[in-house]
Amino acid sequence: PHERNFKVTRSCVLDEASRQREAEMRGMQIEHVVATGAPQFDALLQVEGLPYSTFHSDILDESFILCIGPSTHLRVLELLELVVLALREVCEPVTFGMLLHPKSSPGSYQGEIKEMLQGLRHVAYVDDAHLRALGSNDALLASADLVVGSTSTELVKACYLRKSVLSVVPYGGYNFDVLNERGLKDLPISKCGASLHIGSAQEFLQ
């Protein structure tokens, strides 16, 4: 096929707050950036979290950490290993839930996760099947104290819900160079400070 060069004349973003950032990132005049909205994000304003007692004990008062699984096997395991390394250094009781990517088959990673968490008595693990039985992804995000993932729309939703968000790509890990070449640190949620981009367990703890 013949190669054709296209000149972008308009760029669409979710809201007015994103227009200036998009214009700067694309080198466009701001009048060429249009705020269109997005129903799935607008609906977040109506989301209610699950009852506090679902994830928090009145006695232990533990935090609920929700992990969003990437799409590839290696990246899932790298993300889990980093999170578990950090949890080993945390003394407070924690409820840890793992939502798998839609491409993952039900029950994936359960053996690896349980093996990684072995001996961490302060960590209560909730698997993907139990999480999905409790409520929608949006309700789970609204219930979390901390949302951890790699690069995911769910992380953007968590930012809209004003959650603490960590975007994790382990240093030297699978696709690390590729993701950084694509400007991972310049993703809007990281660039505007809505999430933190980290690559090690030490940074997680900080």
Side-chain angles (χ1 to χ4, degrees), residues 35-185:
T36 60
Q40 65 172 323
F41 289 97
D42 296 339
L44 288 174
L45 299 176
Q46 311 300 324
V47 170
E48 293 185 6
L50 299 169
Y52 183 83
S53 58
T54 305
F55 299 106
H56 303 267
S57 164
D58 292 335
I59 299 175
L60 296 178
D61 192 30
E62 70 266 24
S63 298
F64 173 43
I65 299 176
L66 182 63
C67 189
I68 308 298
S71 59
T72 59
H73 185 81
L74 283 174
R75 287 179 65 196
V76 170
L77 295 182
E78 287 177 348
L79 174 61
L80 281 170
E81 287 173 359
L82 186 148
V83 173
V84 171
L85 277 174
L87 290 178
R88 289 186 182 280
E89 304 299 322
V90 176
C91 299
E92 295 81 8
V94 170
T95 297
F96 174 68
M98 179 74 180
L99 267 181
L100 298 178
H101 192 275
K103 292 181 181 178
S104 301
S105 58
S108 297
Y109 311 109
Q110 298 314 312
E112 291 102 323
I113 296 172
K114 290 178 180 178
E115 184 177 347
M116 290 180 188
L117 293 174
Q118 191 172 5
L120 299 184
R121 296 184 178 180
H122 64 293
V123 179
Y125 172 60
V126 186
D127 64 25
D128 177 82
H130 285 90
L131 286 174
R132 295 187 186 281
L134 291 171
S136 66
N137 282 18
D138 291 351
L140 292 167
L141 290 169
S143 306
D145 298 296
L146 173 65
V147 179
V148 182
S150 180
T151 55
S152 168
T153 303
E154 301 306 297
L155 296 188
V156 180
K157 288 183 176 182
C159 291
Y160 268 76
L161 290 168
R162 302 292 192 269
K163 297 297 175 179
S164 297
V165 177
L166 293 180
S167 179
V168 181
V169 177
Y171 294 129
Y174 177 74
N175 268 357
F176 172 79
D177 292 335
V178 174
L179 288 168
N180 275 283
E181 286 174 5
R182 292 177 181 173
L184 180 64
K185 291 183 178 180

Side-chain angles (χ1 to χ4, degrees), residues 8-35 186 188 191:
V8 177
T9 58
R10 291 287 188 275
S11 182
C12 299
V13 295
L14 297 179
D15 54 31
E16 289 293 331
S18 303
R19 291 182 68 216
Q20 185 65 44
R21 292 194 297 272
E22 179 72 5
E24 292 174 358
M25 287 177 64
R26 304 292 181 188
M28 301 176 67
Q29 295 181 359
I30 195 166
E31 57 265 28
H32 293 167
V33 181
V34 183
D186 290 329
K191 194 170 182 180

